[in-house]
Amino acid sequence: MAGLGTGRAVLFVVPALALIAAFLVFPALWTLYLGVLKYDLAGSNAAAPQFVGLGNYTDALTDPRFANSVLLTLAFVGLSAVLGQNGLGFLLAATLRRAVGWVRMLVNGLVLLSWILPGTVVVFLWQALLDRNGGTLNALLDTPGAAWTLDHPLATIVVFNIWRGTAFSMLLYSAALDAVPTSHLETARLYGSGPLRTFRDVVLPRIRGHILTNTLLITLWTFNDFTPYMLTGGGPEHRSETLPVYVYRMSIEGGQLGFGSAISLIMLVINLVIALFYLRLLRRRGG
Amino acid sequence: MRSGPIAARSAAVVAVLVTVGLTATGCVSAKHHSGGGDPQRNANAKHATLTISTNAIVGGKNAQEATWISETLIPAFEKAEKAKGRDVTVKYQQNGIDDAKYGEKLELSLKAGGGPDIYIIGGDSISRYAKAGYVEPLEKVVGSKVDSWSGWQQVDKSVQQNVSMDGKYYGVPNGVDGRVLFYNKKLFARAGLPANWQPTSWADILAAGRKLKTLSGVTPIQLDAGTPMGEATTMQGFLPLLAGAGQQIYDPKTGKYQGDTKAIRDVLSFYRSLYVTGKLGDPKLQQDPNGRDESFSEFSKGKLGIIGESDYLWRSIVCPDKSICNATAMADRNSTVGYALIPAEKPGAGVDGQDFVSMSGGGGYTINPNTKYPQQAWDLLTFMRSPTQIKAQLGDTVQITANKQVNSEILKKDPALSFIAEKVLPITRFRPSEEHYSSVGALLEEASGQAAAGKPIDQIAKEYQQGVVKLVGADHVASD
């Protein structure tokens, strides 16, 4: 605190704390409060919500749809973010380093485009791609009438999310790989190290922090991503109903705001656990 | 020393949070401030602004309604008010989205204490909205002049009831519709079925479907099922079938909903024989988020034999006029599309022993209790339901309006609509105005979707029963 003094230091922090309190802490507490109510969008419970204690939580934990939703979310996050975006992003970053200038520009541009386009536009394009009657994919594969989103809902949203979000991982890994000193790579090559070996012993230790940070971010984003709803509506038969979709369908479509809040809080806790897990890993690396 | 001020500061932050939290707590439990109170408020305001919202948009969904409101109704009303020495501006919020999504949007804005001054409320939503404080009896919002409105004499009793609760009007009715089975006469001829088809049992429907199945590239039957079709599933599919099995979803006398009953299981079994065992429908279409539009498109292209729909299909989907019906317009509608009453499971097995059944929807325009200008809003409401404006709304099209005089002038122009007015409305039923209906409806949608996807009927019925019991309590559920 040298030079500032506690009082002034606090003064500097207060605006930030106030913002955090207003936009993070308060909504969380508010969600906690709504979660113990039977509170609906319309009907008598809209005007006079009833206190139900942990009722919403026990309802959620015993609802097979909730369990289904948790499993789907884990699969969605694991396949599309942790494996898909991470893997593809790294692969693109690594290969593009050696690519000719215009190829790199082109691929970079295309990958970025899929990331920066608005969700609604992108989903509209994907619907045209996957449509059962006259979709582009069916025309290309000569499989008229194949209902991709209905027959393979989870695979659809996984592939979609990989396509949609790989850009971030690619950019981050490009920057990370730039930080690996060329001299190290050359030394490894002089000693006869193959590409895998070089990756494991020279590149990986350098970019481990980036991998963890990247994985943390894309895990949280994907976990809370609502875009799949626009593609599959959570269906058919709840087969692509990830947690954010489940919350939306229960609280807005089903009008059960209190129940939705309870699930949201459970999601918040899961998010915290994920974040803590990665932070722990990061710290272990630092220490 | 150092931790002192910080601890104090954190304590202060916590205190602020708790205070905010508690204050806000009051918001949720507080009853909705019942309107602005005085019906005469701002009656003599120099300038008033009213907003009206419907799920219609110029050039898109329900284009005709949107064009009427923005181009005819609003200028005419503003002029009429000016003549009375009142300066009123009307703003029109257009929407062109799924009906269910529109309802959610409206509910959210009403919940937040906002929302348009005038909006449409479905007859089945009145109880749910009234209990939440989103609507109030018109006489409370506007005053006693509501009951003496001359227009009421032109409204049928059943249509009046559809916008009333406990003997009080909650809206001014906008019309009524009815469900029938539409079929394609050309496909029927090719399949060796009569041009004047009228099934008298569910078995007859399936038999016709089996004949249609012999035609290649044709889906025989579409009866809406599943969650993606939303309320269309209940209104076009489940509830007419349930009425045909002898039951209504809610019995106001006993206060009980249908649970795991024979009628429910019969309906589910019918869905199963349609989509699973008989393969007479396209189960994928019931899972498709755009399934209903897809079914319209198929029917208009002559790829679908029979479809259960309301007269909305006839008026707004397959009408010959491309400017109204866009891509699904059928130039040869009048000669190609036939319509038949929906039969009971067996003759005489329908609700109240009926041979044929139907369901009707419809609602009315209502006034937001929080409006700043209740008197001006009532003026607009009655103005838009005057015979002149009703006719302007319809243009060249025909629809069963809530006005007897208008109906007698226009219905004879359209055989299908006269058929519905004369043959369907006398045997039809309305959805219950009970606050849990929409949640029970969602369970019916889910159950029908599962039946169409092949899940065993007994299991679906059992889970459905559990769902209803959870909603309304075992005392309010019938099962046998």
Side-chain angles (χ1 to χ4, degrees), chain A residues 33 41 43-44 132 151 238, chain B residues 25 128 134 282 284 435 446:
Chain A
Y33 167 65
L41 189 51
S44 42
R132 184 149 73 115
D151 290 336
H238 313 294
Chain B
T25 306
R128 230 159 45 87
Y134 303 161
D282 179 359
K284 289 259 151 44
E435 65 164 318
E446 179 100 26

Side-chain angles (χ1 to χ4, degrees), chain B residues 97-181:
Chain B
I97 54 176
D98 196 50
D99 289 334
K101 293 273 172 295
Y102 176 69
E104 288 153 19
K105 183 180 163 184
L106 180 65
E107 284 165 31
L108 283 167
S109 58
L110 291 170
K111 169 133 219 66
D117 295 296
I118 289 180
Y119 59 91
I120 294 179
I121 182 168
D124 57 307
S125 301
I126 288 177
S127 159
R128 230 159 45 87
Y129 279 28
K131 294 232 155 92
Y134 303 161
V135 282
E136 280 177 10
L138 287 178
E139 58 164 33
K140 203 170 158 202
V141 181
V142 179
S144 56
K145 62 158 89 160
V146 168
D147 288 333
S148 52
W149 178 50
S150 60
W152 290 120
Q153 291 153 13
Q154 292 298 329
V155 186
D156 263 329
K157 268 275 168 292
S158 69
V159 178
Q160 281 187 16
Q161 273 165 14
N162 195 36
V163 292
S164 309
M165 198 171 75
D166 305 328
K168 291 188 170 123
Y169 297 122
Y170 278 79
V172 173
N174 59 354
V176 64
D177 60 11
R179 268 90 198 138
V180 291
L181 296 174

Side-chain angles (χ1 to χ4, degrees), chain A residues 1 6-7 10-11 14 17 21-22 25-26 29-30 33-34 37 39-49 59 63 65 127 131-133 147 149-151 229 231-233 235-239 248-249 252-255 257, chain B residues 1-2 5-6 9 13 17-18 20-21 24-32 101 103-104 107-108 111 127-129 131-134 226-228 282 284-285 287-290 294 298 435-436 439 446 449-450 453 455 470-471:
Chain A
M1 295 287 163
T6 313
V10 167
L11 212 66
V14 161
L17 280 182
V25 183
F26 172 66
L29 290 177
W30 186 237
Y33 167 65
L34 290 184
L37 298 178
Y39 179 45
D40 295 341
L41 189 51
S44 42
N45 287 320
D59 277 0
D63 183 0
R65 252 177 93 181
Q127 280 174 346
D131 189 63
R132 184 149 73 115
N133 309 310
T149 51
L150 300 178
D151 290 336
Y229 177 83
L231 200 55
T232 63
E237 308 287 316
H238 313 294
R239 275 156 56 204
Y248 175 76
R249 292 185 78 175
I252 307 296
E253 291 182 359
L257 299 175
Chain B
M1 262 300 279
R2 242 168 226 179
I6 292 179
R9 196 59 71 153
V13 169
L17 283 176
V18 168
V20 174
T25 306
C27 299
V28 165
S29 33
K31 291 256 184 200
H32 265 263
K101 293 273 172 295
E104 288 153 19
E107 284 165 31
L108 283 167
K111 169 133 219 66
S127 159
R128 230 159 45 87
Y129 279 28
K131 294 232 155 92
Y134 303 161
T227 328
D282 179 359
K284 289 259 151 44
L285 206 61
Q287 303 180 326
D288 193 329
N290 302 316
E294 204 71 48
E298 282 185 16
E435 65 164 318
H436 295 101
S439 304
E446 179 100 26
Q450 292 171 339
K455 194 167 168 178
K470 200 168 146 194
L471 274 174

Side-chain angles (χ1 to χ4, degrees), chain B residues 54 56-59 61-71 92 94:
Chain B
T54 68
I57 189 159
V58 174
K61 181 165 185 156
N62 300 325
Q64 185 153 359
E65 178 187 330
T67 312
W68 161 64
I69 293 181
S70 49
E71 286 172 18
Y92 179 35
Q94 305 186 38

